[in-house]
Amino acid sequence: MERYGSTMEAEIKKYEQAIQNHPIFSGVSAAEFGALMEQCRLKNYKQSQNVWYAGSPRNGLLLMLEGVTEVYVAINGQSSSHEVLEVLEAGDVVGFSSLADFLGEPAPFDHPYTVEVQAVEESVCLHIPYSVMEARWHQEEVRDYMLRQVSVRLRDIYASLAEQVHLAHQWGESDPFIQRVQDVMNTPVVTVSENTPVREVAAKMVDHHASSVVVEDTDQNIVGIITEKDLVQRVLSSGTGSDVTASAVMTSHPYLIQTQSYYYEAMSRFLLNGVKHLPVVTPENENRVVGMVTLSDLLRKRNRGRFEILQQIETTTGDTLPEMKHAIYDVLAHLISDRIPTLHLLEIITKLYDRLVRRCVEMAETEVVTKHGPPPVRYAFFLMGSGGRAEQFMLTDQDHFLVFEDPESDEDREKAESYFRALGHEIVYWLERAGYKRCDGNMMASEGAWRGSTSQWGDRLRTWGLRATNQNILLGHNFLAFRFLYGDQSVRDTFVETVHTQLESSTIFLYRAAEQEKNAPIPMLDHPVRAIFRLKKEGIDIKKHALFPFHHSLQILAAKHGIFGGTPLEKIDSLQEISVIDEAFADDLRFAYEVALKIRVEQSWSRYERGEGSTSEIKFSQIKSRDKEELMQAMKIFRTLQSQAVSAFGLRT
């Protein structure tokens, strides 16, 4: 829908300030502004409506005033299958590629425009014809703005092109670096009914050279899956008769995956759930199987050799333990290379590290049991710090502690303390063998301050609460990122209740923690990127100025409402469930968290590949313009959370 000239005067008023403040119109007089607006057109676009089509002529620029648009390339001419090149928001300009027309450069081919622009949500744009650009072109500020914008776009395009060439060389032009499940699945699917005798199931698997079959009901909906492993464990090993039916040996409610899911999603589902077969369904009907994808299919497709090693984490020995770090790093490198969303990447990597740490604790336990017998009481093992937050993507230092049940007598207490002292030292030893360096601050289960019975932990927390020094608050923040990983669930529950009780009665601790946040507000990067450069602000410590204040504020707010342990995303979910934060702000926090983590992961991995030392300092010159803009937005969201956490304790920011 379009409005022209005087008929759009009211709408122009709505966006007048945003238009006048834009570099293209900045500094014009009221009379000149009115004359220029007479030549412009205000355009509204509904969600999913095309703003520009490929090949269509361009006769000016579009200034985004409201909403979000995508610049994309349609794959095989299908707009439903496309690759997004750029996402544009309010204040951005669409159509820089048409400047050559404005400057009078002849096009070397008939259809110079190969990209399309579509509204992601309801959007409002101002069409700026070439006549307006010609009237403003004599202004040095306008030419400078256009030059800078084109330079940034050109730089990003070259960077993207170089990356695509690298990936094409790595994987082969016929093997896109991100594939859909429908491209690698096997068809047709071998199926049986619920009443099929198991001997017929086995015969059908042999006839079709299949390692699994799908079990369907009378309406051809999937109800289960039978694999070779199922036949061995549930029929041969158990001595079950071969006349039982498929329903008796199948795995009900198997994990499924959709045809449009990506390769990495299938791979992560295999790794996270410990399965080797995934029935494939369509988005339209998740009950009807259209294909089957197996772990071996994906391993053959990409030849990512160490994936096979990862399947052996639970059985690794002291000799092979050091290999696990390099195997996980290989997976991490591919996930980063494939541009996997950061939160999903961390979910995959965290599951692998959790398996590795559990294996280390198991080996430590085995050593102690051999020397001292079984544990005298039940216990639980917890991670802290980045491991506890489930955001550790590279092996750092160890952060963990032990909690055990209260022994019944003083003699039993001495035995328990001696036993878990030995276990703590063994855990540190095996984790060090796996690649985790010892914690510089000695926050490990080998240290007396980081292991103890539930009552000892209660006393320790009470001391922290009564002596809310800066050091204790720092320890408390690291501690409050705890996450249960191994041991007895009942000990875990008792421990969490102890934490709840002690912090509820020691309100001064959380108050002092909130006071610290009040006195160290998150810096605001309000200015455009160019302004940041003019102010000589070259970078930011993303841990110190973004992630740590986010974690601290989230932990304080969560603890205020009785929420302890778990990952930041779980804390956000819990706060939303009890209406401490609303759905919109919860989504903002997830977005901001992923933005900060994405930059942190990519920058740290690049330094690792270059052989440089680890640092959380982010240089603005080394990240893309879009990332800078998103980081500025993320820090505003973090600061809002910080203010809410501080206000929850009656403090004013």
Side-chain angles (χ1 to χ4, degrees), residues 50-262:
N50 268 55
V51 177
W52 273 337
Y53 292 91
S56 61
R58 316 285 203 251
N59 55 2
L61 306 177
L62 289 177
L63 170 60
M64 292 283 300
L65 298 174
E66 190 175 320
V68 178
T69 60
E70 288 180 343
V71 181
Y72 68 91
V73 176
I75 306 301
N76 297 325
Q78 301 293 321
S79 60
S80 58
S81 176
H82 63 269
E83 291 293 336
V84 176
L85 303 180
E86 193 172 21
V87 178
L88 302 174
E89 301 171 329
D92 290 332
V93 172
V94 187
F96 281 113
S97 60
S98 69
L99 280 177
D101 294 341
F102 166 67
L103 296 172
E105 292 295 324
F109 30 78
D110 293 336
H111 299 290
Y113 308 114
T114 57
V115 300
E116 304 192 32
V117 183
Q118 185 180 73
V120 178
E121 57 187 47
E122 288 192 12
S123 302
V124 180
C125 302
L126 183 71
H127 177 257
I128 306 173
Y130 290 147
S131 58
V132 170
M133 291 304 304
E134 189 172 356
R136 296 291 297 148
W137 198 251
H138 67 282
Q139 294 292 332
E140 183 178 352
E141 294 83 356
V142 175
R143 296 196 303 273
D144 180 63
Y145 166 76
M146 300 298 284
L147 177 61
R148 287 176 179 272
Q149 291 297 309
V150 170
S151 298
V152 168
R153 301 281 176 91
L154 185 61
R155 181 193 63 194
D156 289 348
I157 288 171
Y158 268 104
S160 177
L161 179 61
E163 185 173 8
Q164 295 300 320
V165 170
H166 170 75
L167 289 168
H169 175 73
Q170 182 177 0
W171 302 116
E173 291 183 348
S174 62
D175 186 12
F177 69 97
I178 293 183
Q179 285 187 308
R180 304 281 187 175
V181 168
Q182 65 185 12
D183 298 324
V184 296
M185 70 183 186
N186 297 309
T187 57
V189 185
V190 182
T191 63
V192 296
S193 70
E194 295 175 275
N195 298 322
T196 303
V198 72
R199 61 178 180 276
E200 292 184 22
V201 172
K204 197 164 189 177
M205 291 171 68
V206 171
D207 291 343
H208 291 83
H209 304 286
S211 56
S212 65
V213 295
V214 169
V215 184
E216 297 179 333
D217 61 17
T218 54
D219 295 323
Q220 294 186 311
N221 294 322
I222 181 172
V223 293
I225 186 174
I226 298 175
T227 66
E228 293 173 336
K229 182 179 179 181
D230 293 330
L231 292 179
V232 171
Q233 291 184 342
R234 299 173 187 174
V235 180
L236 298 180
S237 298
S238 64
T240 302
S242 59
D243 57 342
V244 299
T245 61
S247 60
V249 297
M250 72 181 185
T251 298
S252 301
H253 310 294
Y255 293 101
L256 306 175
I257 196 162
Q258 293 186 354
T259 52
Q260 293 301 303
S261 297
Y262 286 109

